[in-house]
Amino acid sequence: MKYFDYYNPTRICFGENRVKDINALIPDNAKVLILFGGNSAKKAGTLDEVTNALGKREIILFGGVEANPTYEKMMAAVEIVRKEKIDFMVAVGGGSVIDGTKFVSAAALYQGEPWEIMTTGGKKISKTIPFGSVLTLPATGSEMNCGSVITHKAKHAKLSFMHPGVYPKFSILDPTKTYTLPKNQLANGIVDAFVHIVEQYLTYPTNAMVQDRYAESLLLSLIELAPKVLTDELDYNSRANFMWVATQALNGLIGAGVPQDWATHVIGHELTVRYNIDHARTLAIILPALLTVQQDSKKEKLLQYAKRVWNITKGSDEQIIKACITQTTEFFNSVGIKTSLTDYDINTDEIPEIVNQLKEHGMTALGEHKDIDLKISQRILETAL
């Protein structure tokens, strides 16, 4: 196991009817900006719950945060924060709204050009504005980590940053907030969480027994929960466990002290920015192809994954690895997510342009060994057809 520091200051308030508790978690004299996405937060009543919980505090609403939050949209929120002297924010929504709020938290007090936050990975951030979140869509884990992904439409770029100053001060996790979600969003959340776990787990052995077993238990939980979450019958316990798994998938615990491989995310981002494919669906396209291309360097962990997660033990090593990759693909398909580029009308001729985007964004040495160069990225994309 590698050396590591683990730090996570986010307070989690889990359970039904917890929105009211934000009153005690925000200073009485705070001027609050509430950020949210579309009309779902209004229709479900969550926005009213939040505003009622804030009592007599001065509140400003900022809606319309996109499913892939854009620099252009979030800079409008930055201007409001600066002009109105906002000193606390609340993100109401899924990972996209929370990611966007993190960017605003850093950008509003940033001295230079705010896009530098993304191009430098957050390294030049010095001050941030505190915020909390009310989670409505389990998926990204953004409610309990310090990472954010933002898209710059004009530059055709989707980049990420991390900084300890953008951990949410608190996150409200009420499983009943998932009851009104459409099945396609629930499916996206399942796949997103699954791939988050895999990218911290399927690398190479480092004798990190706790992290491995923890990751495997989360994967097994998602596999068991998926059909229950996607049924028409609303079950609190299934939704509660799904919500907590998605948070645990990317709150830093399973990634502490182990190598990580975020190449699937990086390549997937290029598909989202170019074709506007849902983030989780790009992951489902890329992951099986990446595991196939990189199976030699991931051999030991793939065999472990096959045995412990999918209970595949018979056959040669090659057969076992092929079978577990197939099982992964079939799991994505079982929740209604398609897994090939051709399913999204992307053909061979377009792959060089996707690779060129990776080059333009400096994504030329990916993976846990930094050995996924542009040629290998092209092989992965070709395998994903």
Side-chain angles (χ1 to χ4, degrees):
M1 194 187 312
K2 298 181 176 182
Y3 289 5
F4 68 88
D5 287 4
Y6 181 71
Y7 169 76
N8 196 316
T10 300
R11 177 194 295 268
I12 297 295
C13 302
F14 193 100
E16 191 172 359
N17 297 320
R18 297 302 304 272
V19 172
K20 65 182 185 300
D21 295 341
I22 66 176
N23 182 52
L25 299 172
I26 299 175
D28 291 340
N29 61 348
K31 188 172 184 180
V32 182
L33 180 68
I34 301 175
L35 301 95
F36 59 98
N39 291 322
S40 60
K42 291 181 179 179
K43 290 180 179 178
T46 306
L47 199 58
D48 285 341
E49 283 187 69
V50 173
T51 56
N52 290 337
L54 289 171
K56 296 181 179 180
R57 295 176 182 85
E58 188 172 353
I59 298 168
I60 296 175
L61 300 179
F62 183 85
V65 179
E66 307 98 328
N68 291 292
T70 64
Y71 175 77
E72 291 84 352
K73 180 69 177 181
M74 301 324 301
M75 282 303 297
V78 168
E79 292 306 312
I80 292 174
V81 170
R82 290 173 174 172
K83 180 181 178 181
E84 300 293 336
K85 295 181 171 55
I86 298 293
D87 49 24
F88 205 98
M89 299 183 293
V90 178
V92 180
S96 294
V97 177
I98 301 171
D99 276 16
T101 303
K102 289 176 179 177
F103 175 76
V104 175
S105 169
L109 301 179
Y110 194 72
Q111 296 302 310
E113 164 56 48
W115 185 243
E116 290 177 359
I117 293 170
M118 309 309 301
T119 58
T120 61
K123 292 179 181 177
K124 295 183 179 180
I125 295 170
S126 58
K127 297 179 181 179
T128 57
I129 294 173
F131 71 95
S133 81
V134 176
L135 183 68
T136 60
L137 172 58
T140 71
S142 191
E143 66 276 6
M144 199 179 177
N145 66 42
C146 64
S148 170
V149 180
I150 300 293
T151 298
H152 197 307
K153 289 195 295 186
K155 295 181 183 294
H156 302 288
K158 185 174 182 179
L159 302 178
S160 62
F161 81 93
M162 298 183 72
H163 191 275
V166 297
Y167 276 105
K169 297 299 181 184
F170 63 83
S171 286
I172 306 296
L173 274 61
D174 179 348
T176 65
K177 300 303 178 191
T178 70
Y179 286 179
T180 58
L181 291 172
K183 287 186 179 180
N184 68 306
Q185 289 189 2
L186 290 167
N188 282 350
I190 291 166
V191 170
D192 202 357
F194 193 96
V195 178
H196 283 159
I197 300 162
V198 166
E199 290 201 285
Q200 298 166 87
Y201 166 71
L202 269 181
T203 55
Y204 55 86
T206 55
N207 198 29
M209 295 175 64
V210 173
Q211 292 90 323
D212 277 4
R213 289 294 191 185
Y214 193 1
E216 289 155 2
S217 72
L218 295 175
L219 292 171
L220 287 166
S221 296
L222 278 175
I223 292 166
E224 182 179 336
L225 286 166
K228 299 175 183 178
V229 168
L230 293 173
T231 61
D232 293 325
E233 183 179 345
L234 298 177
D235 177 64
Y236 179 86
N237 287 325
S238 296
R239 297 300 178 93
N241 279 289
F242 168 45
M243 180 171 269
W244 192 225
V245 168
T247 299
Q248 295 288 307
L250 200 58
N251 69 352
L253 274 175
I254 63 172
V258 299
Q260 301 181 24
D261 172 15
W262 294 99
T264 295
H265 266 71
V266 171
I267 299 171
H269 286 168
E270 302 299 345
L271 298 179
T272 295
V273 77
R274 186 175 179 85
Y275 302 103
N276 200 32
I277 303 170
D278 291 355
H279 170 63
R281 291 164 194 263
T282 70
L283 303 182
I285 293 167
I286 298 300
L287 180 66
L290 183 141
L291 295 179
T292 300
V293 172
Q294 294 294 96
Q295 62 182 279
D296 289 341
S297 62
K298 296 179 181 288
K299 180 178 179 179
E300 290 180 79
K301 291 301 286 283
L302 277 167
L303 291 171
Q304 179 178 312
Y305 170 64
K307 179 181 179 181
R308 295 184 183 179
V309 176
W310 296 111
N311 196 30
I312 301 169
T313 58
K314 296 181 179 179
S316 66
D317 288 351
E318 287 186 4
Q319 290 171 329
I320 290 172
I321 288 171
K322 183 178 180 180
C324 78
I325 295 172
T326 299
Q327 284 278 63
T328 304
T329 303
E330 290 177 353
F331 174 65
F332 295 157
N333 292 156
S334 74
V335 300
I337 304 291
K338 297 178 180 179
T339 53
S340 72
L341 289 172
T342 52
D343 289 326
Y344 299 88
D345 299 320
I346 302 170
N347 57 47
T348 306
D349 295 340
E350 297 175 73
I351 288 177
E353 287 301 316
I354 302 170
V355 174
N356 189 54
Q357 285 179 206
L358 287 166
K359 182 180 180 180
E360 288 180 358
H361 298 146
M363 304 303 174
T364 58
L366 309 176
E368 65 270 34
H369 298 293
K370 303 299 180 187
D371 60 346
I372 299 180
D373 57 17
L374 294 175
K375 288 184 179 179
I376 295 178
S377 290
Q378 181 160 336
R379 281 181 56 202
I380 292 168
L381 287 161
E382 290 169 348
T383 303
L385 286 167

